């Protein structure tokens, strides 16, 4: 694979035959050029510029909070979630996907209701 061809770490964790001294270990590292390979691979990811450094005349972002009330359907579902009867009502309406609806996590159900 590409990953193995880039790194070539076949003998990681294994003792090499004659590498008992520090000089032998250093020679092995130089031969593999591990650090050079890593630099070549990581260079495109490390040399990123930040947008604010490049575009100095760009105005700052503005955050606008828009209130949107719930629809009548969402409000009805919200009341059923609070009462813990939403799954039963949906099953009575013939919606079979309601079987997977969890009624133990009301907060998550309210979040789903508001976002959809």
């Amino acid at each position: 694979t590409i990953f193995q061809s880039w790194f070539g770490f076949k003998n990681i964790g294994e003792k090499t035959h004659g590498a008992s001294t520090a000089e032998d270990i250093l020679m092995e590292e130089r031969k593999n050029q591990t650090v050079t390979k890593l630099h070549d691979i990581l260079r495109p990811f490390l040399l990123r510029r930040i947008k604010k450094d490049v575009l100095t005349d760009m105005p700052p972002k503005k955050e606008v909070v828009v209130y949107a009330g719930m629809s009548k359907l969402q409000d009805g579902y919200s009341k059923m979630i609070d009462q813990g009867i939403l799954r039963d009502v949906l099953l009575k309406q013939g919606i079979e996907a309601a079987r997977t609806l969890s009624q133990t996590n009301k907060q998550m159900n309210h979040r789903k209701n508001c976002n959809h």
Side-chain angles (χ1 to χ4, degrees), residues 3-67:
F3 184 80
Q4 290 173 344
S5 69
W6 281 353
F7 288 95
F9 296 148
K10 293 180 183 175
N11 298 325
I12 286 183
E14 298 177 6
K15 293 183 179 178
T16 56
H17 299 290
S20 59
T21 65
E23 290 178 3
D24 292 337
I25 294 171
L26 288 175
M27 290 300 293
E28 187 70 27
E29 282 187 21
R30 288 185 189 130
K31 192 166 76 174
N32 288 336
Q33 298 177 350
T34 306
V35 176
T36 306
K37 288 180 183 179
L38 286 173
H39 281 275
D40 290 341
I41 293 167
L42 295 175
R43 184 172 291 125
F45 302 106
L46 296 176
L47 297 177
R48 299 279 183 196
R49 295 181 291 171
I50 300 172
K51 189 187 291 186
K52 69 177 183 175
D53 294 339
V54 177
L55 298 173
T56 55
D57 58 339
M58 187 175 198
K61 291 183 179 179
K62 292 182 182 179
E63 181 177 341
V64 179
V65 179
V66 178
Y67 174 76

Side-chain angles (χ1 to χ4, degrees), residues 77 85-96 98 101:
Y77 283 164
I85 60 171
L86 179 63
R87 180 195 297 159
D88 300 330
V89 171
L90 292 175
L91 285 172
K92 285 179 186 176
Q93 291 177 356
I95 301 173
E96 289 298 319
L101 182 66

